[in-house]
Amino acid sequence: MTTSTLVTFLVVVAVASYLQALTGFALGIFALGGVILLDLSSLATAALVINVLMVTNVVLALRKSWHAINVRLALVTLSGIVPGAVAGLWLLGNLGEAYAGYVQLALGLLIVGAGVTMCVNPKPRSLRSPSYQFVFYGLMGGVFGGLYSIPGPPVVFLFYRQPLSIAVVRATLLAVFGLMSIFRLIAVAGQAEIPLDAVELSLWSMPVVIAVSALFARFPPSLPDVLLRRAAFVLLVCMGGFISATALQ
């Protein structure tokens, strides 16, 4: 990797880390999108690096806000994410490229539709969704997390619709995705040897994540809940558009 490519990769990581700290998601999809659009590294390498950075970001972001985690909702969601991730990793190794593209396109279109709907009306539900919905959305997120290292969109969509404060939503999402990343790293490490370039990129990127997380903690933005919810769903539309575009390619 050339110096200019490495610097570009680290800039992408910095922006993704800030968005992750702000919303509780987005590191994976933004970083992966930047890697693909700018042709910075292979998808396999980027996915592994994203998992390492996700864990680093979560640990730093939750140092002072771990008490805001809704433990019950996190556990219920993980009960769907873990088996979904196992299925996603199996599909990654056994599904043909053509079928994987159709699945990715379907996810992208679903996310775009959900994001557009919620941008029009970003207000949360009056009552919390039943537990089975967290399991179901977690299962969907786990499948795509196993496939593409981007478990966020389905789970984010559900959580941002709940009658919870942004602080609780952000902290719970961070905890869920952090544990998901740890699980995927262990699963991948058990299947194959970790590439050296992924280790090198992780070592270069971790100081950037630490610096950005510290900056966010010291100078957090003060945005109204409604505005932040709307921004989150706009980001969902961008995610869905990116996923659909890469599937069509």
Side-chain angles (χ1 to χ4, degrees):
M1 180 177 286
T2 65
T3 302
S4 60
T5 302
L6 176 60
V7 171
T8 304
F9 185 90
L10 295 179
V11 170
V12 170
V13 167
V15 177
S17 298
Y18 189 85
L19 290 174
Q20 173 83 3
L22 179 66
T23 63
F25 69 103
L27 189 154
I29 187 64
F30 188 89
L32 195 63
V35 167
I36 292 176
L37 293 175
L38 302 175
D39 194 23
L40 300 177
S41 76
S42 68
L43 283 179
T45 297
L48 284 173
V49 174
I50 287 169
N51 283 146
V52 174
L53 300 183
M54 180 75 76
V55 175
T56 304
N57 179 275
V58 167
V59 170
L60 294 170
L62 290 179
R63 283 183 305 167
K64 296 182 179 180
S65 60
W66 60 268
H67 58 277
I69 298 172
N70 188 312
V71 177
R72 180 181 175 278
L73 290 185
L75 292 176
V76 171
T77 306
L78 284 168
S79 70
I81 282 182
V82 172
V86 172
L89 286 169
W90 182 86
L91 289 172
L92 184 64
N94 295 276
L95 199 62
E97 284 295 323
Y99 291 103
Y102 287 127
V103 172
Q104 187 173 347
L105 178 61
L107 172 67
L109 295 176
L110 175 64
I111 294 168
V112 169
V116 169
T117 300
M118 296 310 301
C119 281
V120 174
N121 182 21
K123 294 181 180 180
R125 295 165 52 98
S126 57
L127 296 175
R128 186 176 302 176
S129 299
S131 296
Y132 73 85
Q133 290 192 12
F134 288 90
V135 176
F136 176 71
Y137 280 82
L139 186 66
M140 286 197 299
V143 169
F144 291 105
L147 277 169
Y148 310 113
S149 289
I150 48 171
V155 180
V156 168
F157 171 73
L158 180 64
F159 266 83
Y160 268 86
R161 295 252 8 233
Q162 304 309 307
L164 302 168
S165 70
I166 290 297
V168 172
V169 170
R170 183 190 298 124
T172 307
L173 286 175
L174 284 169
V176 168
F177 295 148
L179 291 171
M180 164 68 188
S181 296
I182 292 173
F183 174 79
R184 193 180 190 279
L185 281 172
I186 294 173
V188 171
Q191 293 179 347
E193 184 178 349
I194 301 296
L196 184 60
D197 54 348
V199 176
E200 182 181 356
L201 273 178
S202 298
L203 292 175
W204 277 108
S205 302
M206 286 175 68
V208 175
V209 174
I210 294 171
V212 172
S213 298
L215 181 66
F216 182 88
R218 185 168 181 81
F219 304 104
S222 54
L223 297 173
D225 273 13
V226 172
L227 179 60
L228 191 51
R229 291 180 193 273
R230 192 180 296 274
F233 294 121
V234 169
L235 191 56
L236 272 180
V237 174
C238 295
M239 286 181 180
F242 161 72
I243 293 171
S244 300
T246 55
L248 290 172
Q249 290 176 358

